Every structure is written in structure tokens, then in C-alpha cells.
């Protein structure tokens, strides 16, 4: 076995970059640590501006041929990638659980099948992508989607492969070539994806994977003049740096950023359903951008809602994510755990009360927490914690509920529990959010637009919206009766 190969739970993973269809090692490495127990997984090639430039050059060289590849052939290859993912669901699941600490059962049953679906969906959508021709004073308008060029995709650590392929699949389907930069805290499944894509017949240079720290290679990727699209999922401060870096070349951006989403519970709601929705916000140890971390509950039912929530939360099992019975795993990194605890301790010092939790369990796990007696303008209500920390506030009128829900700088999602259809329609029309769920949560369809408002992001992806971003959309206008007769 190569010195650049790790064995992770019995699965071989190459630690080098994937550039131009071959493995490339760096002189330096960084240490990848498992959040499950803090153990060292291995040393990963640490990219520099040199590897970043090489990856963009490889993507640029491969672009003309891939852009000229027929839609049918591109779709065939993407389906072959999906086939490869499905054959390796167990490998991908155990490696990602080891690497980022999310539940193994969720990876097996939902996340990795969704990875395959990402490729199949955009392959199929490509084949039906069209806009009906229309007439203007006798002239014919024809809309087409031209591949834009090399695309840099920067992805987060909370759902590494699923969120990476949510970008990679439409970019490749559109005819673009890709440089994927995975998060340094969870790089391993991106390396496996490179192997799967190569085995599926994706041409060299069409997909490149560069590992390392964003602070060291990010600017080299996002400021490169040959990059035509940048898609990023992560924090607002990092998004600002990317936007500044891309501005010199006017490179189009798609930014999916943080959230501080509300769960509005009205007195007429099914409280059992509302509590189920509320407890679900602890999914992935609270490391979900869409999580409804702010509970806004009508005063008349707040006490009963809280009682039922505490009872339901007490049934959750926190521990090793590889165990079938575990409901909440670890947080991704000791630094993240420290950040979470600092938020909570500042809130408690400011007068908040911990109904449950309010403390770390050890160096990897944070106790599921619910804080009350929090002010609307407090840090814990206004800023994204990205951990298993929720707040509860009350309201007395529908107008107050909407005001509180919208009173942050974010606008990614919102969840609403009510038995009144007319109220649901009124409230959802007023909520600032890219996605609103009514009496449900996390129901996602790839043909729907996805993105955030305000500081939660720029742009929408999904279905045709993805192709609108990853392509140069062209309108061709043809005059009538302008052809010579060569008959």
C-alpha cells in the first residue's frame, strides 16, 4: 500500500490531491482528526497556491472537450458516477462518519443515497432542459444554456459529500469543469469521489480535488482569472473574503451561508407534531445550516410545549455515531465545541436559563441545550451557534411572531406549526426566508429553488436555477425569411 494511502475503518483512502486525472502530493501535510474520539486519522496533502493553480489549469485544459460533449454523453457519465456511489455506499458512509462524526445510520440510509441522487437528478434534468421558443414581431427567440467554464466549488464539513455533490453534479451536467476544495476538517470522501468519477469514465481534468486550508489556497482559487464560477457554502465572514477576491474578475458567485431560522408554534398547532419538529433540530449535533434554532411559541401553550419538549429530548441518546441507537453524535472539532460553549456561557452570564443542557459533556460532545429568558437583541438569539443549542421565546399575537421571526440578519429558512391554513398562508407570505416549511421540516426536492435571503446567501440553486448559475444563458433572435434558397 502506498505511503499516501490511509486505511479508514478498512477502506483505503488516498491522501493526495486529484489534479488533471492523477494523484499529486504536496510537500506539507495537515492532520485529519476524527471527532468521535479525537484520534488522528492521518496526514493529508496540504495544498498551496501551486496546487491551486495546477488544478485550475487542468480544469481549463479539459473544458473545451467537456463543454463540447453531448448532453446525452454527459448524462450517461453522471449516471455512471451515481452507479459507482451506490456500489460504495457502505465505504463512503463509514469513512464520512469517521471523518465528520455524523450518524452512520443516516449516512447509510439517507445521505449517501442522496449523493447518488444528486448525480442522477441533474443528469436527467439536463436532458429536458429547455425554454419554449417565442416570437417577437415575427422574430424567433431561442434560449440556450452554454457551459460557463472552470468552476471552483468550496464546500463545508457538516455534510461533506452530499453538499459537495449538490454543487459538483449540476456544474458537470452544465458542461463546466470543476475544482473542488473540501473542508479541511472532513476531506476524505472528496478523495473517494475522485476515484469513483475516474472509474465512471469522467475525463481527466474535468473534476479536480485540492485539499488544504482556505486561508492558504482559497484566494489562489477564487481570484484566478480563468475561473468562471464560484460556489461556496459556509460562513458569512469567509463569503465576504471570497466576494472580495472574486470581484477583480467579476466572477459570478453562489453563496449559501448561515442561518438563525425560527420555528413558529401557534396555539392551534398539533403540539406533539410541533415538539417532534423541535427535537429534530438537534440533528447532526445541531450542525445544520437550515436548523430552526429559535423557538417562537405562543404564550398560552409555551409551558406545555416546553414540558413535552423536555420529555422528548430526554429520550435522545448521545454518543458514538457508529452505533445504531445513537441519535446525537459529536461536534466536528474541539475548536467548534469551544465556540459553542462560549456562546452558551455568555448567554447564561447575561441572564439566560438552561432548561436542559448548558454545558459540554467532554472534549467532543456538547449536551443538547435549550435556553429561555433570552432577549431578542442578545447574541444567542442573533448569531449562528452551529451546535445543539436552541432558544425559546414567546409571543402573544401573529404580528409579534412575524416580527420576531424576521428580526435577525439572516433569512435561510423558517418552520411553521399551525392548524389554520389561512394563518399559514398569511404568515409564510411575510417571512423572510429562502425556504418555509409548514407542519414539516427538511422536506427537500432538487427541482425546487434553494438559497437564502439577507446574510444567508446570494442566488438560488436547484433544477433550472442551477443551470442558470453554472451556464451563460443565451438568447438567439432570428429574423423571418432571412435564408437564401440553396435548393
Amino acid at each position: 500500500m502506498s505511503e499516501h494511502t490511509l486505511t479508514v475503518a478498512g477502506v483505503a483512502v488516498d491522501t493526495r490531491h486529484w489534479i488533471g486525472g492523477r494523484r499529486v502530493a504536496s510537500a506539507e501535510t495537515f492532520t485529519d482528526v476524527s471527532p468521535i474520539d479525537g484520534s488522528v486519522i492521518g496526514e493529508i496533502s496540504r495544498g498551496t497556491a501551486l496546487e491551486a493553480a495546477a488544478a485550475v489549469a487542468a480544469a481549463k485544459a479539459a473544458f473545451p472537450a467537456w463543454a463540447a460533449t453531448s448532453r446525452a454523453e454527459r448524462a450517461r457519465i453522471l449516471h455512471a458516477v451515481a452507479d459507482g456511489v451506490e456500489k460504495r455506499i457502505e465505504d463512503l458512509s463509514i469513512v464520512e462518519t469517521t471523518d465528520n462524526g455524523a450518524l452512520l445510520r443516516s449516512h447509510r440510509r439517507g445521505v449517501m443515497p442522496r449523493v447518488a441522487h444528486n448525480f442522477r437528478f441533474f443528469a436527467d434534468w439536463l436532458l429536458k432542459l429547455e425554454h419554449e421558443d417565442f416570437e417577437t414581431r415575427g422574430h424567433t427567440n431561442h434560449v440556450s444554456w452554454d457551459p460557463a467554464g472552470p468552476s471552483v466549488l468550496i464546500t463545508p464539513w457538516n455534510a461533506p459529500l452530499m453538499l459537495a455533490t449538490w454543487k459538483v453534479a449540476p456544474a458537470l451536467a452544465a458542461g463546466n469543469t470543476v475544482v473542488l476544495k473540501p473542508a479541511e476538517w472532513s476531506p476524505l470522501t472528496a478523495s473517494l469521489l475522485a476515484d469513483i468519477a475516474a472509474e465512471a469514465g469522467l475525463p481527466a481534468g474535468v473534476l479536480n480535488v485540492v485539499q488544504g486550508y482556505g486561508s492558504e489556497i482559497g484566494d489562489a482559487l477564487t481570484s484566478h482569472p480563468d475561473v468562471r464560477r464560484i460556489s461556496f457554502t459556509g460562513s458569512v465572514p469567509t463569503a465576504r473574503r471570497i466576494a472580495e477576491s472574486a470581484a477583480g474578475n467579476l466572477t459570478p458567485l453562489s453563496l449559501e451561508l448561515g442561518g438563525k431560522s425560527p420555528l413558529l408554534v401557534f396555539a392551534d398547532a398539533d403540539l406533539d407534531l410541533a415538539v417532534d419538529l423541535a427535537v429534530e433540530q438537534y440533528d447532526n449535533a445541531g450542525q445544520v445550516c437550515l436548523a430552526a434554532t429559535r423557538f417562537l411559541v405562543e404564550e398560552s401553550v409555551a409551558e406545555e410545549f416546553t414540558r413535552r419538549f423536555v420529555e422528548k429530548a430526554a429520550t435522545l441518546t448521545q454518543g458514538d455515531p457508529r452505533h445504531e441507537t445513537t441519535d446525537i453524535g459529536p461536534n466536528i472539532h474541539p475548536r467548534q465545541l469551544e465556540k459553542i460553549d462560549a456562546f452558551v456561557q455568555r448567554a447564561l452570564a447575561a441572564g439566560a436559563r438552561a432548561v436542559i443542557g448548558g454545558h459540554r459533556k467532554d472534549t467532543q460532545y456538547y449536551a443538547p441545550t435549550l435556553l429561555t429568558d433570552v432577549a431578542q437583541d442578545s447574541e444567542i438569539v442573533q448569531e449562528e451557534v452551529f451546535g445543539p443549542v436552541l432558544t425559546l421565546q414567546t409571543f402573544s399575537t401573529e404580528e409579534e411572531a412575524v416580527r420576531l421571526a424576521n428580526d435577525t440578519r439572516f433569512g435561510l429558512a423558517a418552520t411553521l406549526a399551525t392548524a389554520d391554513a389561512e394563518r399559514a398562508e398569511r404568515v409564510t407570505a411575510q417571512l423572510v426566508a429562502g425556504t418555509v416549511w409548514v407542519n414539516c421540516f427538511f422536506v427537500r426536492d432538487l427541482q425546487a429553488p434553494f438559497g437564502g435571503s439577507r446574510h444567508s446567501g446570494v442566488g438560488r440553486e436547484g433544477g433550472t436555477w442551477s443551470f442558470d448559475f453554472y451556464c451563460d444563458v443565451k438568447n438567439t433572435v432570428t429574423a423571418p425569411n432571412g435564408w437564401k434558397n440553396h435548393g
Side-chain angles (χ1 to χ4, degrees), residues 13-26:
V13 183
D14 201 301
T15 63
R16 294 169 293 179
H17 314 287
W18 179 253
I19 299 174
R22 65 186 184 90
R23 291 291 177 178
V24 176
S26 293

Side-chain angles (χ1 to χ4, degrees), residues 359-408:
H359 58 86
R360 63 175 76 191
K361 298 181 73 172
D362 55 30
T363 57
Q364 307 298 136
Y365 296 80
Y366 204 86
T369 296
L370 176 65
L371 302 177
T372 60
D373 301 334
V374 292
Q376 178 62 24
D377 62 355
S378 63
E379 178 192 54
I380 198 67
V381 170
Q382 292 293 325
E383 298 299 326
E384 185 178 44
V385 178
F386 222 60
V389 178
L390 311 171
T391 62
L392 189 149
Q393 300 165 270
T394 61
F395 63 85
S396 57
T397 67
E398 186 177 298
E399 292 72 21
E400 183 183 14
V402 171
R403 178 180 62 78
L404 292 173
N406 287 339
D407 188 21
T408 75

Side-chain angles (χ1 to χ4, degrees), residues 29-84:
T29 63
F30 65 92
T31 304
D32 189 24
V33 176
S34 175
I36 298 174
D37 55 11
S39 62
V40 173
I41 299 173
E43 296 297 315
I44 312 298
S45 279
R46 180 173 173 173
T48 67
L50 291 176
E51 286 86 4
V56 173
K60 180 181 180 182
F63 173 67
W66 182 244
T69 300
S70 70
R71 287 189 177 190
E73 179 61 8
R74 292 204 303 263
R76 184 194 68 77
I77 292 175
L78 293 186
H79 274 291
V81 174
D83 292 341

Side-chain angles (χ1 to χ4, degrees), residues 399-480:
E399 292 72 21
E400 183 183 14
V402 171
R403 178 180 62 78
L404 292 173
N406 287 339
D407 188 21
T408 75
R409 63 193 175 106
F410 297 104
L412 187 56
T415 304
L416 174 65
T418 180
D420 187 333
E422 292 182 357
R423 167 178 282 152
E425 185 175 355
R426 285 195 307 272
V427 171
T428 56
Q430 298 175 74
L431 293 174
V432 179
T435 300
V436 179
W437 286 288
V438 180
N439 295 325
C440 60
F441 177 68
F442 218 57
V443 179
R444 293 276 305 278
D445 192 310
L446 285 177
Q447 65 185 314
F450 179 75
S453 304
R454 296 175 175 167
H455 284 196
S456 285
V458 175
R460 295 293 184 269
E461 295 188 45
T464 300
W465 289 275
S466 285
F467 288 94
D468 288 345
F469 172 69
Y470 287 109
C471 292
D472 290 321
V473 182
K474 177 190 295 178
N475 184 44
T476 301
V477 184
T478 303

Side-chain angles (χ1 to χ4, degrees), residues 56 150-154 177 179 181 221-222 227 229-232:
V56 173
S151 301
V152 167
L153 312 180
I154 304 173
T177 51
V179 178
K181 194 279 178 191
L221 292 171
T222 56
V227 170
R229 294 293 186 272
I230 300 169
S231 182
F232 168 73

Side-chain angles (χ1 to χ4, degrees), residues 65-139:
W66 182 244
T69 300
S70 70
R71 287 189 177 190
E73 179 61 8
R74 292 204 303 263
R76 184 194 68 77
I77 292 175
L78 293 186
H79 274 291
V81 174
D83 292 341
V85 169
E86 289 175 346
K87 290 175 183 176
R88 300 199 66 183
I89 280 179
E90 184 62 24
D91 290 350
L92 292 166
S93 297
I94 190 61
V95 169
E96 189 142 297
T97 290
T98 303
D99 206 18
N100 91 321
L103 300 184
L104 179 57
R105 72 169 192 242
S106 296
H107 282 139
R108 285 171 170 160
R109 299 172 189 172
V111 176
M112 294 309 164
R114 169 63 183 271
V115 168
H117 177 65
N118 285 345
F119 285 102
R120 296 200 192 283
F121 174 87
F122 286 106
D124 292 341
W125 200 267
L126 169 65
L127 296 181
K128 63 182 180 182
L129 182 66
E130 63 178 352
H131 189 293
E132 184 177 350
D133 289 353
F134 56 97
E135 297 295 319
T136 303
R137 298 189 300 277
H139 296 64

Side-chain angles (χ1 to χ4, degrees), residues 65-295:
W66 182 244
T69 300
S70 70
R71 287 189 177 190
E73 179 61 8
R74 292 204 303 263
R76 184 194 68 77
I77 292 175
L78 293 186
H79 274 291
V81 174
D83 292 341
V85 169
E86 289 175 346
K87 290 175 183 176
R88 300 199 66 183
I89 280 179
E90 184 62 24
D91 290 350
L92 292 166
S93 297
I94 190 61
V95 169
E96 189 142 297
T97 290
T98 303
D99 206 18
N100 91 321
L103 300 184
L104 179 57
R105 72 169 192 242
S106 296
H107 282 139
R108 285 171 170 160
R109 299 172 189 172
V111 176
M112 294 309 164
R114 169 63 183 271
V115 168
H117 177 65
N118 285 345
F119 285 102
R120 296 200 192 283
F121 174 87
F122 286 106
D124 292 341
W125 200 267
L126 169 65
L127 296 181
K128 63 182 180 182
L129 182 66
E130 63 178 352
H131 189 293
E132 184 177 350
D133 289 353
F134 56 97
E135 297 295 319
T136 303
R137 298 189 300 277
H139 296 64
T140 300
N141 292 264
H142 176 75
V143 176
S144 58
W145 286 261
D146 293 349
S151 301
V152 167
L153 312 180
I154 304 173
T155 55
W157 44 258
N158 58 321
L161 192 58
M162 194 275 285
L163 291 177
T165 56
W166 160 249
K167 302 175 187 294
V168 170
L172 295 181
N176 292 358
T177 51
V178 165
V179 178
L180 171 63
K181 194 279 178 191
E184 59 268 24
W185 284 351
S186 55
L188 299 183
T189 48
S191 180
L192 292 178
L193 177 64
D195 293 335
I196 291 170
E199 291 167 5
L202 193 70
V206 174
L207 171 65
N208 306 275
V209 179
V210 180
Q211 302 150 157
Y213 295 109
S215 60
E216 296 178 350
I217 62 174
D219 185 68
L221 292 171
T222 56
S223 67
H224 201 293
D226 291 331
V227 170
R228 296 292 180 257
R229 294 293 186 272
I230 300 169
S231 182
F232 168 73
T233 297
S235 71
V236 172
T238 302
R240 288 196 180 103
R241 291 195 294 272
I242 290 172
E244 291 171 358
S245 178
N249 298 311
L250 294 178
T251 309
L253 299 170
S254 176
L255 304 173
E256 196 268 279
L257 309 177
K260 197 68 180 177
S261 302
L263 165 60
L264 291 78
V265 180
F266 288 90
D268 60 12
D270 177 337
L271 277 192
D272 286 334
L273 170 64
V275 167
D276 286 345
L277 295 175
V279 172
E280 195 174 347
Q281 308 312 312
Y282 288 131
D283 181 49
N284 202 22
Q287 299 168 143
V288 178
C289 59
L290 292 163
T293 56
R294 296 184 295 131
F295 299 165

